[in-house]
Amino acid sequence: MLIIPAIDLKDGHCVRLKQGLMEESTVFSEDPGAMARHWVDQGGKRLHLVDLNGAFAGKPVNEGAIKSIVSAVGGDIPIQLGGGIRDLDTIERYLDDGISYVIIGTAAVKNPGFLHEACYAFPGQIMVGLDAKDGKVAVDGWSKLTGHDVIDLAKKFEDYGVESIVYTDIGRDGMLTGVNIEATVALAQALTIPVIASGGVTNLDDVRRLCAVASEGIIGTITGRAIYEGTLDFAAAQALADELSA
């Protein structure tokens, strides 16, 4: 079970949003590269980056900060990145920069043809981020709920060849209320590709609960606010996950 630190980038800084609202952001670090290195030194096995400005602008905005993170990590662990990725040229540039996996979110739902092309062009390096509330997929920085059922859509994307699904319960993200284990397990059971849980990890009990269902196809969880505010000790969480997965 991977405990994956999230580094959310806004205006070149590491921030966390509450419920996806740009105006509800807290700056945690002015130096994204140093933050990334910190999590690697604490035992991190993968990093999750989000270009928040990019997600809202529909194009890369924080590429400088992203490059500084890649440089600081130095290829020690894989890095996955989402936010504002809308075309193949952007994907190619990020992969050339040293990003391991590119996460396509809103564009996957609105433009499935683009996702299909991306999976074909960059096999094994395309992940899809599905954000859902009450089983329905949300897009555009969570501002719009669609009529799409999250499991139906994930199965379709699995057929396209996506590497894995990042599943966020947007009712819980950044709220420190625990992971929606039931919904995450239901999604993982419906797929053969791995699922990464996101949203709501608060403490070691959440890590235990996730490790208990890892065999269903849940390979990791992304955590942000909890490790920055101290309700979750990241090094202890990854150590516990390693112990329970052994």
Side-chain angles (χ1 to χ4, degrees):
M1 176 69 63
L2 298 167
I3 311 299
I4 307 171
I7 298 180
D8 291 357
L9 299 166
K10 180 186 175 192
D11 307 330
H13 303 145
C14 302
V15 304
R16 278 304 283 167
L17 305 188
K18 192 178 280 187
Q19 298 269 278
L21 298 170
M22 284 293 264
E23 61 274 18
E24 291 278 331
S25 68
T26 308
V27 174
F28 286 109
S29 172
E30 306 281 339
D31 187 342
M35 195 84 249
R37 191 67 239 173
H38 168 74
W39 296 127
V40 175
D41 293 342
Q42 292 279 307
K45 299 179 180 184
R46 187 185 290 203
L47 290 177
H48 176 79
L49 311 187
V50 182
D51 180 349
L52 291 171
N53 303 100
F56 284 84
K59 61 179 191 284
V61 176
N62 284 290
E63 197 168 358
I66 290 160
K67 284 181 171 177
S68 76
I69 288 170
V70 172
S71 173
V73 171
D76 288 351
I77 60 171
I79 300 173
Q80 59 192 46
L81 166 72
I85 296 163
R86 303 281 189 272
D87 58 68
L88 297 179
D89 287 344
T90 300
I91 296 173
E92 186 167 28
R93 200 163 79 240
Y94 276 141
L95 295 175
D96 286 346
D97 285 346
I99 295 297
S100 313
Y101 303 101
V102 166
I103 304 166
I104 301 174
T106 292
V109 182
K110 290 186 159 183
N111 185 1
F114 161 58
L115 177 66
H116 204 270
E117 288 176 358
C119 289
Y120 181 76
F122 309 103
Q125 293 185 290
I126 305 299
M127 303 165 68
V128 165
L130 287 178
D131 305 328
K133 188 172 185 182
D134 303 324
K136 298 298 180 189
V137 174
V139 293
D140 292 333
W142 306 351
S143 59
K144 296 183 189 136
L145 269 182
T146 70
H148 293 296
D149 178 84
V150 68
I151 290 178
D152 290 346
L153 208 52
K155 284 174 142 172
K156 179 170 136 184
F157 295 159
E158 177 177 51
D159 290 342
Y160 287 2
V162 304
E163 195 273 335
S164 51
I165 301 283
V166 175
Y167 173 66
T168 305
D169 181 330
I170 62 176
R172 302 195 184 208
D173 186 81
M175 300 304 287
L176 305 178
T177 52
V179 181
N180 188 335
I181 296 276
E182 299 73 24
T184 309
V185 167
L187 178 61
Q189 286 175 335
L191 304 171
T192 58
I193 56 173
V195 171
I196 294 174
S198 173
V201 172
T202 309
N203 53 41
L204 290 177
D205 284 340
D206 290 322
V207 175
R208 287 187 188 94
R209 290 168 66 217
L210 277 166
C211 286
V213 294
S215 60
E216 302 291 355
I218 301 166
I219 62 160
T221 182
I222 295 162
T223 179
R225 185 171 284 273
I227 56 173
Y228 291 105
E229 295 192 348
T231 65
L232 183 69
D233 179 317
F234 172 73
Q238 186 60 67
L240 176 65
D242 290 345
E243 182 188 321
L244 293 175
S245 306

